[in-house]
Amino acid sequence: MRRALCPGSFDPVTNGHLDIIGRAADLYDQVVVAVFVNQSKSSMFSVEERHQMLVDETARWPNVRIDTFHGLVVDYCRAHDIPVIVKGLRAVSDFDYELQMAQMNRGLAGVDTLFMPTNPEYSFLASSLVKEIAKWGGDVSSLVPPDVLTRLKGRAGTPD
Ligand code: ADP
């Protein structure tokens, strides 16, 4: 079975994430989407909420599974027998950091990284931007699924 991992913060999941997850689901037998738990990074949604949003939004792909993890991505890959990480590349600005990570992960554990060019529709889209716009009442309805939009509206005006 060919397995791939899509790791990230997903705070919250956006249409850009879902585009990459869906395309990965077409290429691999199983795709594991893992929510990275980072205690030092403040988030708008709890790990449980981020996990639930991903479960709901990926229900259309039967070969996608959602999990959470902390620590090194390559340790997660090793423990779950996953040989490849799939990452979306939005712009050249993503490339430097992603290339460094990919080379490090291959060196550390032989885990390869597949880069997928983002759908141009979403090349400017990041969770951080969505949160910032939503916080000030801006319209992000074309950037996130309807249920995520509802949750974002519930948080609008609340401090970090
Ligand atoms: P963000 O940068 O939005 O806070 P995450 O850490 O949750 O993102 O993102 C996890 C991964 O999802 C990123 O490393 C990237 O590969 C991919 N990704 C995020 N946003 C997009 C997008 N708009 N288009 C394509 N891929 C994306």
Side-chain angles (χ1 to χ4, degrees), residues 6-21 23 34 36 41 50 86-90 94 97-98 101 114-119 121-129 131:
C6 292
S9 312
F10 304 106
D11 185 40
V13 60
T14 68
N15 291 341
H17 293 130
L18 292 170
D19 177 58
I20 297 292
I21 294 167
R23 286 156 65 193
F36 180 54
K41 202 173 155 189
R50 287 182 263 157
V86 173
K87 285 288 189 101
L89 280 187
R90 284 169 283 204
D94 276 347
Y97 178 67
E98 292 293 349
M101 290 257 290
L114 181 103
F115 292 124
M116 257 186 202
T118 187
N119 183 331
E121 217 181 318
Y122 305 129
S123 59
F124 60 91
L125 178 52
S127 296
S128 50
L129 211 54
K131 285 183 284 190

Side-chain angles (χ1 to χ4, degrees), residues 113-149:
T113 300
L114 181 103
F115 292 124
M116 257 186 202
T118 187
N119 183 331
E121 217 181 318
Y122 305 129
S123 59
F124 60 91
L125 178 52
S127 296
S128 50
L129 211 54
V130 164
K131 285 183 284 190
E132 198 55 33
I133 297 167
K135 209 150 69 177
W136 297 103
D139 181 11
V140 291
S141 57
S142 61
L143 310 178
V144 295
D147 286 354
V148 174
L149 184 67

